[in-house]
Amino acid sequence: MVLYIKYMVSLRCKMLVKEELKKLGLHYVIVDLGMVEILEDISAEKFQDLKNNLALSGLELLDDKKSVLIEKIKNVIIEMVHYTDEIPKVNYSDYIAEKLHHDYTYLSNIFSEVKGTTIQQYIIVHKIERVKELLLYGELNLTEISYMLNYSSVAHLSNQFKKITGLSPTFFKKLKQKRHQNLENI
């Protein structure tokens, strides 16, 4: 049986879910971001107990089909942007549709209806978060980052970055360096 969990985005969340499953005597096959596969069918009582226990930790056990699909879309995007070394070169729409085995238009319409934003905008926001992360690490320059995240040019990346954050990537990086210098002076 497969269960879907909202807000499950880190290794710590996975550990927490494993612990809650163990407390309820449920045996898992896979615990992944946003998804758990357990060996047995779960009773309504245990489902509610799991839902309540996860809620105490800020996680939400999903039970309606639209919410499950939205979480799947979000998890595919988060995995694609944050947990792969290089974003796929195919269109995002093709990638997401193939991963979830649904028509992209259907996925896009449901996502927009429920989240109030487009899948494309959600991807852009996550890509910019990834850019910020990579800039803070300081291991890659902007050209390397734009190539890694599949931007057509550094200018395109810079424009999106400024539109989302209000800052240029260069200024953002300087702010980080300034904060670091201020901390050293304390």
Side-chain angles (χ1 to χ4, degrees), residues 8 14 16 20 33-34 36 42 48 51 68 70 101 110 118 120 159 170 174 182 186:
M8 189 174 163
K14 284 182 177 183
L16 183 111
E20 290 301 330
L33 296 179
V36 175
I42 189 169
Q48 195 57 48
K51 189 173 187 165
V68 168
I70 297 302
H101 310 289
I110 286 181
T118 64
Q120 187 62 34
N159 288 337
T170 308
K174 283 181 185 173
N182 289 340
I186 293 177

Side-chain angles (χ1 to χ4, degrees), residues 86-168:
E86 196 171 302
I87 290 183
K89 299 289 185 208
V90 298
N91 288 339
Y92 300 134
S93 55
D94 294 340
Y95 180 79
I96 294 167
E98 184 181 314
K99 279 284 210 185
L100 298 178
H101 310 289
H102 283 286
D103 176 62
Y104 182 77
T105 304
Y106 171 72
L107 296 172
S108 178
N109 289 338
I110 286 181
F111 191 88
S112 296
E113 174 189 321
V114 173
K115 297 302 289 174
T117 188
T118 64
I119 290 176
Q120 187 62 34
Q121 190 60 34
Y122 189 80
I123 291 170
I124 290 168
V125 167
H126 275 277
K127 283 175 72 173
I128 296 305
E129 284 304 310
R130 181 77 167 133
V131 170
K132 287 166 45 178
E133 185 181 307
L134 292 169
L135 285 172
L136 291 176
Y137 289 149
E139 295 172 5
L140 301 173
N141 64 38
L142 211 50
T143 304
E144 292 167 325
I145 293 170
S146 86
Y147 179 78
M148 178 183 168
L149 295 177
N150 207 17
Y151 277 95
S152 58
S153 68
V154 174
H156 183 222
L157 165 66
S158 295
N159 288 337
Q160 275 193 351
F161 192 94
K162 185 157 184 141
K163 190 183 285 184
I164 299 293
T165 65
L167 307 169
S168 71

Side-chain angles (χ1 to χ4, degrees), residues 39 43 55 77-78 82 98 104 111 114 117 123 149 168-173 177-178 180 183:
L39 289 173
S43 68
I77 292 167
I78 289 168
H82 295 280
E98 184 181 314
Y104 182 77
F111 191 88
V114 173
T117 188
I123 291 170
L149 295 177
S168 71
T170 308
F171 189 75
F172 177 81
K173 196 169 184 170
Q177 291 167 343
K178 198 172 209 172
H180 186 68
L183 288 174

